[in-house]
Amino acid sequence: MNKHCEALELPKILEKLAALTACADAHEAALALEPQTQFYEAQRLLRETEAAHILIAKFGAPSFGGLLNVNGALRRAEAGATLSMRVLLDIAGVLRAVRGICTWREKSAGTESALDDLFGSLYANKYLEDLICNAILSEEEMSDNASPQLKDIRRKKRAQDARIREQLERLLRSPAYKNSLQDALVTQRGGRFVVPVKAEHRAEVPGLVHDTSSSGSTVFIEPAAVVEANNEIKVLESRERDEIERILTELSAQAGSFADSIRISYQSAVALNLIFAKANLAYQMKASLPVLNADGEIELKKARHPLIPADRVVPVDIRLGTDFDALVITGPNTGGKTVSIKTLGLLTLMAACGLYIPAADNSRVAVFGKVLADIGDEQSIEQSLSTFSAHMTNLVRIDRETDDNTLVLIDELGAGTDPVEGAALAVAVIEALRKKGARLAATTHYSELKEYALHTDRVENASCEFSVETLSPTYRLLIGVPGRSNAFAISERLGLRREILDDAEALVSSENRRFEDVVDALERSRAELEQEKARVLEREAQIDRLRAQAEAAKREAAEKGQRELERAKREAAALTENARRAANSLLLEVERLKKEQAKEKDAAAAARKARAAMKAKLGELDDLTAESFGTADDGEYTLPRELRVGDTVFVTTLGTQATVVSVPDARKNVEVQAGAMKMKVSQDALRLLKGKPKASPAPRRPVSEGSRAAAQNTAMRVDLRGKNTEEAILDLDMFLDGAVRAGLNEVTIVHGKGTGVLRKAVQAHLRKHPNIRTFRTGVYGEGEEGVTIAELK
């Protein structure tokens, strides 16, 4: 990392990035990250970070735990070496991590990504992973299931251990050795089973002495009876070690055969780990994707320095390279000048590293070949360099390295020497760097640089705002406005005597005072314009809110009106349907009477008249529903004139037309006549109609809750079992009449199976019934031949 990046504190950002990685190699790669100097390479890195950022938002971040660098072990395995259980478990851990990343990617397989090439180079090798994990339990223990031979050896070993313990347990319980033994327990020395014997009784227990206690009072003897058995265990242990070695050699050979794919997968996983760490850092910093360009144009919106705490940082807007190439930032100390140019440089470097930047959306950042910075006091006693000399040394190096693809950032340009010479030198340095085509941002206290920026094309002033009232900076960067030193104002606020200030002001040249007055006037005008702009924006926002509320209220009223109209239409349709059903019932009754009195001409004529009257009434009711519904009450209504006898009116409370019989009385009640009925109604319930009264249609009343309840309570099933044919047919007719009035579509008639006589009579009656469309015998689950299902017309 070069000293310019260190001056802009890029290494601290990379440390934050490294802390979000999951493996050592990704951690090192994060710390070694360098800004790209080629536009397309920087753009590629940003596209990768953007892809990871989107995937995390949709599916969460994948896990990279378990990634270890096993390249050295794989090279040894390829060469034929036998790897330890610990190393083989590390290889299995890498395979497990790679498989986890592949599984995560499968869940998001429908989303194309700039990371598809890296994901595609991951190879999940579950075969080798299971082979290792099933054989090795830990870095010191091999599973019994690693091979049939190992399982058999360990089974024999356990059986031999059990036999030896059984023999020694019998010896411990034997009365002959009761006084000879120190403790009644079986232990091991040198991998052989022994018993503790008192030193003075050692001759009483035949066998081999393997150890003595530290006090010398106990000797550990391997009884002669178990010597051969212990020897057998030693042989089995030797065979076990040989088998474990053989298994490790075989597993190592398998790992060596897959070495290339494991290495490629590991490298891709490390690269993905670094990319997803960049995306996680973006979420952590609440950063956004910058728009890169190769034209040297920077436009940062609400940029925040990422190393300043979020509760203290003040967002700034910075631009450079658009309508000016050099920015001269002035203002008092601790006002934020240095932070501004550091933010400019650091965010440029972060974007070139493929990192999101803490700024508003659509901020533009240029990719430079070099970013050169002279920031901070580099005074060195060891090198005998003063502050001025140290800055000049850096400026000499910067001047030598600058070209037309360079961003130069200089803090306190020309400071540390005589003000006149320092100001002249500062102007000359800016001019020299501009001639080379560099983009430049510099901070200074010199008034000469303010004037230079005012009169020079493509050089712009900027200042860090300072509040004289509170004696504190606001940290806002104002581009296009030169800053004031505010030395006299600050001194006065701090209590310096007026006489001293007057003397000081008298010593300032008239030209300088005029310049400061112009700057002061500009600052006041800018503040007033900003306040006025804020007021205008607030008014516009209020107007927008009121407009949105009015439009919402209008939409709500229209929707409510539409709902009410739909409800009214539904009620009208229900009224018509109920009337139609009643009329059909009456017509059926007339038809029945007609059949019974077919020879009587008067009855037949009466039936025809009744049917014609009913159809006429139904037609009028349909017309009323389709055309006149909704006119009963249309909100606020005022009679166009006083009512007179003979006027045709519409009575809203009855839903019918009537004729005025008498004018309104003192209580505004009017006597009206509707057909043969006279009544008194309130004048407010009348609507004046033109022309003579028409035949009033039937009153439009909504379907009552009682009618609805009756329809819902009408049985859909009748039970005729236990009745003779005449009684059953009579009950059936009554049931069907009620079903028709209730508007049912289908009914169930229960007649039982029995001899089938009642079923035949019912179905014969249904076949002739005028209200039955069709019928059928019940199926399984409905009652089968015991019921008949009838569909009504």
Side-chain angles (χ1 to χ4, degrees), residues 181-460:
L181 299 175
Q182 189 71 267
D183 294 301
L185 58 85
V186 178
T187 185
Q188 284 188 328
R189 287 293 185 273
R192 302 178 75 87
F193 288 97
V194 296
V195 293
V197 179
K198 295 177 182 177
E200 61 269 22
H201 296 285
R202 58 185 298 180
E204 298 176 7
V205 180
L208 304 175
V209 177
H210 284 278
D211 199 2
T212 305
S213 66
S214 58
S215 64
S217 61
T218 303
V219 292
F220 296 94
I221 297 177
E222 179 186 5
V226 297
V227 169
E228 189 59 33
N230 273 330
N231 289 340
E232 180 63 23
I233 287 180
K234 286 295 184 181
V235 172
L236 291 172
E237 287 178 348
S238 177
R239 291 175 57 194
E240 180 184 20
R241 285 193 297 272
D242 292 343
E243 180 62 18
I244 290 175
E245 187 69 17
R246 185 193 68 79
I247 293 170
L248 290 177
T249 300
E250 184 177 325
L251 292 175
S252 300
Q254 289 279 5
S257 66
F258 293 107
D260 288 340
S261 65
I262 297 174
R263 273 194 291 265
I264 293 172
S265 297
Y266 174 74
Q267 292 168 359
S268 299
V270 169
L272 286 169
N273 187 201
L274 178 59
I275 293 169
F276 276 90
K278 292 179 180 179
N280 281 322
L281 182 63
Y283 280 109
Q284 191 180 90
M285 295 192 306
K286 296 185 171 86
S288 64
L289 176 69
V291 179
L292 292 185
N293 68 85
D295 303 322
E297 297 180 356
I298 300 175
E299 186 176 3
L300 300 177
K301 304 173 183 177
K302 296 182 179 178
R304 311 179 308 275
H305 196 288
L307 298 177
I308 300 177
D311 58 342
R312 290 175 47 201
V313 66
V314 177
V316 295
D317 294 334
I318 308 175
R319 69 179 192 275
L320 182 64
T322 52
D323 47 348
F324 53 88
D325 301 324
L327 189 64
V328 177
I329 305 175
T330 53
N333 290 326
T334 71
K337 301 189 304 296
T338 303
V339 171
S340 296
I341 63 170
K342 276 191 172 183
T343 301
L344 173 63
L346 179 57
L347 269 55
T348 300
L349 295 177
M350 288 175 62
C353 290
L355 296 170
Y356 277 30
I357 61 173
D361 292 338
N362 297 318
S363 293
R364 302 175 65 229
V365 178
V367 177
F368 293 98
K370 300 172 189 173
V371 177
L372 308 178
D374 176 34
I375 298 174
D377 186 0
E378 298 190 13
Q379 181 176 355
S380 173
I381 297 176
E382 293 180 356
Q383 299 181 13
S384 300
L385 291 176
S386 66
T387 300
F388 178 75
S389 299
H391 282 301
M392 280 301 102
T393 302
N394 288 337
L395 288 177
V396 169
R397 188 180 297 113
I398 288 172
D399 178 61
R400 188 184 307 122
E401 297 179 12
T402 298
D403 56 25
D404 61 353
N405 191 24
T406 304
L407 173 64
V408 179
L409 306 170
I410 304 176
D411 189 27
E412 300 295 348
L413 179 59
T417 186
D418 177 77
V420 176
E421 295 180 353
L425 187 60
V427 171
V429 168
I430 292 176
E431 277 296 307
L433 295 176
R434 285 185 62 232
K435 287 179 181 178
K436 290 189 174 185
R439 303 293 188 270
L440 171 70
T443 68
T444 183
H445 285 285
Y446 295 137
S447 298
E448 288 83 354
L449 264 71
K450 303 175 191 177
E451 298 180 22
Y452 163 75
L454 283 173
H455 297 101
T456 306
D457 187 37
R458 297 194 67 79
V459 179
E460 187 62 86

Side-chain angles (χ1 to χ4, degrees), residues 518-591:
V518 170
V519 171
D520 191 32
L522 285 173
E523 176 62 18
R524 285 196 302 272
S525 299
R526 182 198 61 79
E528 292 173 358
L529 287 174
E530 283 198 353
Q531 292 174 1
E532 182 61 26
K533 181 181 177 181
R535 287 193 293 270
V536 170
L537 291 176
E538 177 60 27
R539 284 196 294 270
E540 289 180 352
Q542 185 176 5
I543 291 171
D544 290 341
R545 287 194 298 270
L546 293 174
R547 182 185 295 112
Q549 292 174 1
E551 290 178 353
K554 180 180 178 182
R555 285 195 302 271
E556 184 179 357
E559 291 172 358
K560 184 177 180 181
Q562 185 64 28
R563 287 196 299 269
E564 288 297 322
L565 181 59
E566 294 295 332
R567 182 183 63 80
K569 286 182 178 179
R570 287 194 299 271
E571 291 184 358
L575 179 63
T576 304
E577 184 63 23
N578 287 337
R580 191 183 300 277
R581 290 174 182 169
N584 286 336
S585 178
L586 181 58
L587 289 174
L588 290 172
E589 183 65 18
V590 171
E591 290 287 347

